[in-house]
């Protein structure tokens, strides 16, 4: 199970640092593909929309490395599939325990990039001594292989640890959340705070408060149909 989810994670991680297409590493794309494979469309898209909204304002700019959305999304979807946690309240636990993998994944990526700085010296040396053995593409392939192996190993260890603690956390989580009727709408509204607060516009905060009040009055908060 861990190896299958790890392969899925590494595949989409390549679109994050190996082949930057701009969209294929986004949680929505991962959720759509996961829904097609697993058949659990509501859970897959619900988790994907949550992470898409949560860190929507964090994107790579300069030397800033945003949270590793692929790690958090794949871990949450993997846990939900492995333990059959497709109800929104149960899926929320998967999201919460997988959320730290976002910043931790970004930190790991930073360490791997620093580790790969040594390839620069090799490239400069080879460029100054041009010959038949000059093959800069080998440095690229080696760097991609190192990123894939390092990311897969760390993700596998993290996912295995989460698998180990989930059986203990799940009963306690259900005891705490049983009095509440948590739906995807509630979770998406909570996740949207990240993007709205990043706007730095007070009127946006007022619009969010008004929308939340209207939804509460209309009875949306009393249902968990989606």
């Amino acid at each position: 199970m861990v190896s299958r989810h790890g392969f899925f994670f590494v595949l989409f991680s390549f679109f994050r640092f190996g082949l930057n297409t701009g969209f294929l590493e986004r949680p929505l794309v991962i959720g759509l593909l996961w829904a097609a494979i697993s058949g659990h469309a509501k859970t897959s898209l619900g988790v994907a929309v949550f992470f898409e909204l949560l860190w929507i304002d964090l994107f790579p700019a300069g030397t800033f490395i945003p949270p590793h959305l692929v790690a958090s999304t794949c871990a949450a979807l993997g846990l939900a599939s492995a333990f059959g946690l497709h109800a929104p309240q149960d899926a929320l636990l998967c999201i919460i325990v997988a959320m730290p993998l976002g910043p931790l994944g970004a930190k790991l990526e930073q360490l791997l990039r620093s580790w790969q700085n040594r390839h620069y010296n090799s490239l400069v040396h080879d460029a100054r001594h041009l010959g038949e053995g000059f093959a800069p593409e080998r440095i690229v392939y080696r760097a991609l292989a190192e990123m894939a192996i390092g990311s897969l190993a760390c993700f596998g260890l993290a996912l295995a640890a989460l698998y180990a603690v989930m059986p203990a956390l799940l009963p306690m989580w259900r005891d705490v959340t049983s009095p509440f009727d948590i739906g995807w709408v509630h979770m998406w509204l909570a996740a949207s705070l990240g993007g709205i607060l990043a706007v730095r516009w007070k009127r946006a905060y007022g619009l969010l408060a008004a929308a939340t009040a209207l939804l509460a009055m209309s009875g949306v908060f009393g249902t968990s149909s989606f």
Side-chain angles (χ1 to χ4, degrees), residues 88-89 92 173-183 186 221-222 224:
Q89 291 185 202
L92 179 57
W173 173 258
R174 286 175 171 169
D175 289 340
V176 172
T177 59
S178 58
F180 307 100
D181 187 18
I182 302 174
H186 314 138
F221 285 156
S224 60

Side-chain angles (χ1 to χ4, degrees), residues 82-123:
F83 292 94
L85 305 178
H86 302 297
Q89 291 185 202
D90 292 337
L92 179 57
L93 175 61
C94 300
I95 291 174
I96 291 175
V97 298
M99 202 178 300
L101 297 187
L104 289 176
K107 183 64 176 178
L108 172 63
E109 191 171 325
Q110 182 182 17
L111 293 174
L112 288 174
R113 291 184 183 184
S114 299
W115 165 259
Q116 291 176 346
N117 284 339
R118 73 189 194 283
H119 293 318
Y120 174 77
N121 294 330
S122 299
L123 181 61

Side-chain angles (χ1 to χ4, degrees), residues 12-122:
F12 279 94
S13 291
F14 269 123
F15 298 120
R16 175 179 169 90
F17 59 78
L19 179 63
N20 190 356
T21 59
F23 295 101
L24 291 182
E25 85 284 1
R26 300 303 304 178
L28 280 178
V29 178
I30 299 173
L32 287 171
L33 184 56
W34 198 283
I37 295 175
S38 67
H40 299 289
K42 281 190 175 182
T43 304
S44 301
L45 295 179
V47 171
V49 170
F50 180 90
F51 282 115
E52 193 73 53
L53 291 172
L54 181 64
W55 290 313
I56 194 171
D57 64 311
L58 300 179
F59 51 89
T63 59
F64 173 69
I65 301 176
H68 207 303
L69 296 176
V70 178
S72 296
T73 306
C74 287
L77 292 174
L79 291 172
S81 297
F83 292 94
L85 305 178
H86 302 297
Q89 291 185 202
D90 292 337
L92 179 57
L93 175 61
C94 300
I95 291 174
I96 291 175
V97 298
M99 202 178 300
L101 297 187
L104 289 176
K107 183 64 176 178
L108 172 63
E109 191 171 325
Q110 182 182 17
L111 293 174
L112 288 174
R113 291 184 183 184
S114 299
W115 165 259
Q116 291 176 346
N117 284 339
R118 73 189 194 283
H119 293 318
Y120 174 77
N121 294 330
S122 299

Side-chain angles (χ1 to χ4, degrees), residues 97-181:
V97 298
M99 202 178 300
L101 297 187
L104 289 176
K107 183 64 176 178
L108 172 63
E109 191 171 325
Q110 182 182 17
L111 293 174
L112 288 174
R113 291 184 183 184
S114 299
W115 165 259
Q116 291 176 346
N117 284 339
R118 73 189 194 283
H119 293 318
Y120 174 77
N121 294 330
S122 299
L123 181 61
V124 172
H125 178 272
D126 292 343
R128 290 175 178 175
H129 301 82
L130 294 178
E132 294 182 359
F134 181 64
E137 67 275 8
R138 289 186 299 189
I139 296 178
V140 176
Y141 297 150
R142 189 188 311 162
L144 290 176
E146 290 175 353
M147 291 287 283
I149 294 172
S151 299
L152 178 60
C154 293
F155 180 77
L157 289 174
L159 198 57
L162 293 179
Y163 282 162
V165 301
M166 281 295 289
L169 292 177
L170 188 55
M172 295 186 291
W173 173 258
R174 286 175 171 169
D175 289 340
V176 172
T177 59
S178 58
F180 307 100
D181 187 18

